[in-house]
């Protein structure tokens, strides 16, 4: 249907029919910077499309800010935000399309229905804390969290509108002297030192949002934005009407100094202790397909408001039953109140710093009973986010590495430590490289990338060791060989069994080759001679000879290879995977399978002819690369997960909070999840998560809190 015309004084030019390839159906609202439309993609997916006003499209400064908004929104696109589907900041009328999320904004809900109940306030606070944790892990500070930027979706609150958010590593597009934000929901430092605003400012805003949801007004309330600004910086917040059980937490969020506020992770932990019956874990909904239709709903527009959002509205009167006097801040929550509840099963016995670096042996009794799920604390003191254990499986042992531990062997049946090697000199902050079992030896690298060591997997004894500092971590293990790429583009090949050098030379036509291995005995190198082409080179790791080279169209990455077929992912300039390519090595034929909806920063696993693509917004798609048919698509509501692992009729992945997720590969149905095991590094960025390991009926996974655990893959619903 054509877009509906809106009443008002705006020109007809404000009502385009399309944004890119998306048909605009209904205008949802208009704000100071643009108009939000309900639109549909060619496949029928409902979108919310924000199109900037014509008057701003000619302003270079505004276009720069809009590009930053798009970049920030894509960076945090996930389960707690409205995922970005497409955008064009360079169009005549710049626009951005996100998934349409049915549901009102918090501001609209409070205005229509009054204050939220205590239970709903707890859920809202936990959901916003989860969202901010995810946003901050992506390195973004929102800086404008307020009730109209919170959507109340069926599966929890979503944080929207990143128009003035700032990635920590980007240019700050804030003009000197200009107030950026909404005063009743801004932190004191946003007024006093705006160029030094960090994640704690979003926590302050969260506290203000909860007060608004509980009372109908913010903790600092005046018709004058200047008076509100003074109150935020100097006065105590008015918390009258906030439920007693949330009072301390809200007060901490509204502390004047950023360092006195809790982090999102601390809030989530504290909320679990508020009520024994309250569970903040994400609920996995039933499978939802692209063809499902939602009932009528309204999406609140995302304008930049000109007046303070916390100003009194007549409709708030029924909800706001406050005394009007300022209430003194209650005592802050004690450290004990924020302690993590519960513990993990088992203990990881490691040699202390004064013990010999030789392998330490532990005797574990053989398993005589049926398999029982187990967990083991592998966390090291002072470990950093992203440094969780990484393991490789053998029938005799799980061979693992983690910060402070060179390697350890774990009995896969009962989780007992068989042997361990400490790394007392390890003081780096780099992530631990994954261990590799090659030619009968376990190859482990130091976290600083300076040394490669080969261990006996049965005892942990050193077989050989080599300084690899000059290769700067450019190390690949392929078919019993270790390929080291030097800064001069020369490749050195070592025998994994002995550490001896086998050959040394460069790869023709490739600078600084980075090799990839997929278990087919071939080393693959991908390079991009031009922006529109990708050169794929296959190298024999035993001799270094080039077996074939092929130039393919587009920017590609090799994601899988077996039985004479290579699979590649096509990546756009915006890091969206828009197609999967299937290349037949023998007949040199390429078959391209375009995705109906591009996947943001997709991780790909291939099993047989089927490719499974997991976007960082939680969308999971299965595509048959032989028939070009999309088998299914499901929204997992999980952002920033590990690469998927496929085993038979199951697909497994690990969420950023440590949950292991199981999906039916035949239907795309979500089957179950384990409990969350988040790490203790509050709000830190976890750049990559180790994929789960499936062996027989057992599944093994690790989590940010340092836990290695095993579950029975036959019954995910019982996890």
């Amino acid at each position: 249907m054509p877009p509906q015309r809106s009443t008002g004084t705006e020109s007809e030019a404000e009502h385009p029919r399309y944004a890119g390839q998306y048909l605009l159906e209904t205008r949802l609202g208009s704000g100071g910077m643009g108009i939000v439309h309900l639109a549909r993609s060619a496949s029928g997916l409902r979108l919310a499309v924000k199109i900037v006003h014509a008057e701003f499209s000619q302003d270079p400064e505004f276009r720069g800010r809009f590009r930053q908004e798009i970049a920030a929104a894509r960076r945090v696109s996930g389960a707690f935000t409205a995922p970005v589907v497409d955008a064009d900041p360079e169009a005549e009328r710049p626009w951005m399309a996100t998934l349409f999320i049915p549901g009102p904004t918090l501001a609209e809900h409070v205005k229509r229905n009054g204050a939220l109940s205590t239970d709903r306030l707890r859920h809202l606070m936990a959901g916003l804390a989860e969202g901010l944790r995810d946003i901050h892990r992506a390195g973004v500070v929102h800086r404008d969290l307020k009730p109209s930027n919170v959507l109340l979706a069926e599966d929890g609150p979503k944080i929207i509108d990143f128009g003035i958010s700032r990635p920590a590593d980007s240019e700050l597009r804030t003009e000197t002297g200009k107030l950026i934000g909404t005063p009743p929901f801004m932190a004191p430092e946003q007024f006093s030192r705006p160029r030094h605003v960090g994640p704690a400012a979003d926590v302050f805003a969260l506290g203000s949002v909860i007060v608004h949801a509980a009372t109908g007004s913010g903790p600092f309330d005046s018709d004058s934005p200047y008076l509100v600004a003074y109150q935020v910086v100097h006065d105590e917040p008015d918390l009258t009407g906030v439920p007693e059980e949330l009072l301390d937490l809200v007060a901490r969020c509204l502390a004047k100094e950023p360092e006195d506020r809790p982090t999102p992770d601390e809030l989530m932990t504290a909320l679990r202790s508020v009520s024994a019956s309250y569970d903040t874990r994400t609920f996995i909904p039933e499978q939802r397909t692209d063809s499902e239709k939602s009932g009528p709903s309204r999406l609140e527009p995302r304008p930049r408001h000109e007046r303070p959002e916390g100003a009194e509205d007549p409709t708030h009167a029924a909800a706001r039953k406050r005394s009007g006097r300022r209430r003194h801040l209650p005592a802050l929550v004690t450290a004990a109140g924020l302690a993590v509840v519960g513990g993990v099963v088992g203990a990881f016995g490691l040699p202390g710093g004064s013990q010999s670096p030789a392998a330490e042996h532990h005797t574990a009794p053989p398993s005589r009973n049926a398999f029982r799920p187990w967990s083991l604390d592998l966390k090291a003191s002072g470990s950093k986010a992203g440094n969780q254990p990484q393991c490789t499986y053998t029938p005799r042992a799980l061979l693992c590495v983690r910060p402070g531990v060179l390697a350890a062997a774990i009995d896969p049946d009962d989780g007992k430590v068989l042997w361990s090697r400490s790394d007392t000199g390890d003081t780096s902050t780099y992530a631990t490289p994954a261990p590799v079992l090659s030619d009968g030896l376990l190859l482990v690298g130091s976290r600083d990338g300076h040394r490669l060591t080969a261990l006996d997997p049965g005892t942990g004894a050193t077989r050989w060791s080599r300084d690899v500092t000059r290769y700067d971590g450019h190390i690949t293990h392929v078919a019993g060989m270790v390929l080291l790429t030097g800064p001069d583009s020369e490749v050195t090949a070592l025998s994994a069994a002995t550490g001896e050098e086998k050959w040394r030379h460069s790869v023709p036509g490739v600078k600084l080759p980075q090799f990839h291995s997929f278990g087919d005995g071939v080393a693959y190198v991908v390079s991009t001679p031009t922006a529109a082409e990708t050169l794929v080179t296959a190298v024999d790791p035993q001799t270094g000879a080039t077996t074939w080279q092929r130039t393919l169209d587009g920017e590609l990455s090799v994601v899988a290879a077996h039985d004479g077929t290579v699979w590649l992912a096509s990546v756009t300039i915006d890091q969206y995977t828009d197609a999967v390519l299937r290349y037949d090595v023998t007949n040199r034929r390429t078959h391209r399978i375009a995705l109906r909806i591009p996947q943001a920063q997709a991780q790909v696993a291939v099993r047989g002819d089927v490719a499974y693509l997991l976007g960082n917004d939680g969308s999971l798609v299965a595509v048959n690369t032989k028939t070009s048919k999309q088998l299914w698509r499901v929204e997992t509501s999980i952002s920033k997960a590990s690469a998927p692992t496929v085993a038979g009729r199951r697909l497994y992945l690990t969420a950023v909070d440590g949950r292991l997720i199981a999906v039916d590969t035949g239907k795309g149905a979500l089957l179950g999840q384990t409990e969350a095991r988040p790490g203790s590094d509050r709000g830190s960025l976890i750049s990559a998560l180790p994929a789960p390991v499936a062996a027989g009926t057992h599944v093994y996974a690790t989590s940010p809190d340092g836990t290695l655990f095993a579950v029975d893959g036959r019954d995910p619903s019982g996890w």
Side-chain angles (χ1 to χ4, degrees):
M1 58 177 286
Q4 298 177 0
R5 296 189 178 184
S6 302
T7 58
T9 60
E10 298 171 3
S11 68
E12 184 64 25
E14 288 290 316
H15 304 283
R17 183 175 176 80
Y18 284 91
Q21 300 299 317
Y22 306 108
L23 176 64
L24 307 180
E25 295 186 341
T26 304
R27 200 187 84 165
L28 298 171
S30 178
M33 295 295 181
I35 300 174
V36 179
H37 296 265
L38 177 66
R40 288 191 184 271
S41 69
S43 65
L45 186 68
R46 295 201 301 171
L47 306 172
V49 178
K50 180 178 182 178
I51 303 178
V52 305
H53 291 314
E55 62 184 286
F56 294 113
S57 62
Q58 306 305 315
D59 182 351
E61 173 64 20
F62 174 80
R63 281 185 179 268
R65 287 181 58 187
F66 192 63
R67 280 193 292 268
Q68 179 169 295
E69 176 179 357
I70 293 170
R74 279 177 168 159
R75 195 165 180 171
V76 304
S77 192
F80 309 105
T81 61
V84 178
V85 174
D86 199 357
D88 188 358
E90 310 305 328
E92 182 179 353
R93 295 281 302 280
W95 57 271
M96 176 174 64
T98 64
L99 286 181
F100 175 75
I101 299 176
T105 65
L106 176 62
E108 185 180 47
H109 179 87
V110 171
K111 185 176 180 179
R112 290 178 176 176
N113 305 297
L116 272 62
S117 66
T118 301
D119 285 344
R120 293 200 67 186
L121 284 172
R122 281 199 305 263
H123 281 278
L124 174 65
M125 196 171 190
L128 293 178
E130 268 187 317
L132 289 182
R133 178 202 61 189
D134 227 35
I135 291 168
H136 295 164
R137 277 175 171 166
V140 173
V141 181
H142 191 285
R143 301 201 303 157
D144 197 23
L145 181 64
K146 56 187 177 182
S148 66
N149 284 342
V150 177
L151 283 173
L152 300 181
E154 290 183 357
D155 58 347
K158 309 291 183 183
I159 299 174
I160 62 173
D161 197 347
F162 291 83
I164 63 170
S165 62
R166 176 170 61 90
D169 56 359
S170 74
E171 174 189 358
L172 176 59
R173 297 185 178 273
T174 304
E175 298 177 16
T176 303
K178 179 179 286 187
L179 185 64
I180 302 295
T182 307
F185 302 94
M186 292 169 65
E189 62 268 25
Q190 288 181 272
F191 297 102
S192 60
R193 46 187 190 276
R195 291 184 177 271
H196 301 281
V197 171
D202 289 342
V203 175
F204 188 96
L206 183 152
S208 297
V209 167
I210 295 301
V211 175
H212 178 90
T215 67
S217 290
F220 307 98
D221 210 10
S222 172
D223 291 334
S224 167
Y226 304 102
L227 181 55
V228 169
Y230 180 88
Q231 293 172 347
V232 169
V233 174
H234 299 288
D235 289 355
E236 295 179 349
D238 185 355
L239 302 183
T240 307
V242 176
E244 193 70 29
E245 61 193 84
L246 298 179
L247 205 55
D248 286 351
L249 279 180
V250 172
R252 282 203 71 197
C253 291
L254 296 172
K256 299 300 184 187
E257 297 300 324
E259 59 270 21
D260 292 334
R261 300 169 201 151
T263 65
D265 272 320
E266 288 173 333
L267 281 175
M268 293 164 63
T269 300
L271 283 167
R272 286 201 298 269
S273 64
V274 165
S275 173
S277 62
Y278 181 56
D279 186 358
T280 60
R281 289 182 297 169
T282 301
F283 170 73
I284 294 186
E286 293 296 325
Q287 180 188 7
R288 294 164 57 186
T289 64
D290 291 337
S291 60
E292 287 180 344
K293 297 181 180 179
S294 300
S297 60
R298 175 181 174 185
L299 178 66
E300 182 81 353
R302 308 174 188 182
R304 187 77 59 247
H305 291 272
E306 288 84 8
R307 66 179 179 83
E309 186 167 341
E312 188 69 56
D313 186 287
T315 58
H316 288 165
R320 188 181 184 214
K321 299 177 181 178
R322 308 174 71 176
S323 64
R325 60 183 175 85
R326 294 279 163 197
R327 180 172 180 169
H328 291 290
L329 285 174
L332 299 182
V333 177
T334 63
L338 294 174
V340 176
V341 179
V344 292
V345 180
F348 188 29
L350 296 173
S354 61
Q355 290 181 276
S356 168
E360 187 172 284
H361 297 271
H362 303 268
T363 302
S367 177
R368 296 185 176 89
N369 301 321
F371 172 79
R372 294 182 180 178
W374 53 262
S375 63
L376 180 66
D377 185 3
L378 295 178
K379 182 174 60 177
S381 175
S383 61
K384 300 294 183 181
N387 293 347
Q388 66 192 71
Q390 301 206 52
C391 302
T392 187
Y393 173 84
T394 75
R396 294 185 177 180
L398 284 165
L399 302 169
C400 305
V401 296
R402 69 157 170 82
V405 178
L406 183 62
I410 314 297
D411 189 317
D413 291 327
D414 55 20
K416 297 294 179 60
V417 179
L418 304 176
W419 58 259
S420 64
R421 286 279 302 270
S422 64
D423 190 2
T424 56
D426 180 9
T427 59
S428 70
T429 59
Y430 297 94
T432 308
V436 175
L437 191 66
S438 181
D439 216 359
L441 295 181
L442 181 66
L443 303 180
V444 295
S446 60
R447 283 201 294 159
D448 57 13
H450 292 171
R451 183 157 293 277
L452 180 67
T453 304
L455 306 177
D456 184 320
T459 66
T462 299
R463 294 305 183 201
W464 60 265
S465 185
R466 182 177 177 121
D467 188 326
V468 292
T469 304
R470 76 178 297 267
Y471 302 106
D472 195 26
H474 298 157
I475 304 172
T476 308
H477 305 273
V478 188
M481 303 295 288
V482 182
L483 306 183
L484 311 170
T485 301
D488 55 0
S489 295
E490 189 173 60
V491 180
T492 300
L494 309 179
S495 166
T498 64
E500 296 177 315
E501 183 177 318
K502 293 299 183 181
W503 54 265
R504 179 185 299 191
H505 56 71
S506 60
V507 176
V510 181
K511 184 179 180 181
L512 290 175
Q514 301 298 303
F515 295 97
H516 304 273
S517 172
F518 302 97
D520 63 345
V522 180
Y524 296 94
V525 183
V526 174
S527 58
T528 52
T530 70
E533 293 180 325
T534 297
L535 177 66
V536 183
T537 304
V539 175
D540 183 342
Q542 307 302 324
T543 64
T546 298
T547 58
W548 58 266
Q549 276 188 323
R550 179 73 189 275
T551 299
L552 301 172
D553 293 336
E555 183 177 343
L556 308 173
S557 60
V558 178
V559 295
H562 65 76
D563 300 329
T565 302
V566 178
W567 285 265
L568 306 100
S570 170
V571 183
T572 69
I573 192 173
D574 299 320
Q575 298 303 303
Y576 273 69
T577 301
D578 61 355
V580 177
L581 276 71
R582 179 186 177 117
Y583 176 64
D584 189 310
V585 175
T586 302
N587 61 29
R588 297 170 61 86
R589 292 179 180 173
T590 303
H591 179 49
R592 180 186 177 93
I593 304 96
L595 301 181
R596 296 178 187 171
I597 302 172
Q599 295 285 92
Q601 301 177 1
Q603 301 186 82
V604 187
V606 176
R607 180 84 170 187
D609 295 319
V610 180
Y612 302 89
L613 299 93
L614 176 67
N616 73 349
D617 59 355
S619 59
L620 179 62
V621 177
V623 178
N624 188 312
T625 62
K626 197 169 186 178
T627 64
S628 301
K629 181 181 179 182
Q630 179 172 308
L631 304 178
W632 47 260
R633 176 187 177 93
V634 64
E635 301 298 332
T636 67
S637 299
I638 300 161
S639 63
K640 294 177 178 61
S642 71
T645 295
V646 184
R649 297 279 298 179
R650 298 281 191 271
L651 180 147
Y652 305 101
L653 56 94
T654 301
V656 73
D657 60 4
R659 286 173 296 138
L660 174 65
I661 313 297
V663 178
D664 186 315
T665 57
K667 303 177 181 178
L670 300 165
L671 301 176
Q673 65 175 333
T674 63
E675 63 179 2
R677 293 179 169 91
S680 60
D681 295 286
R682 310 301 189 191
S684 299
L685 172 65
I686 297 179
S687 57
L689 294 166
V693 175
T697 60
H698 305 162
V699 186
Y700 306 91
T702 63
S703 56
D705 72 349
T707 300
L708 166 67
F709 62 95
V711 294
D712 192 332
R714 293 170 294 185
D715 184 23
S717 63
W719 291 351

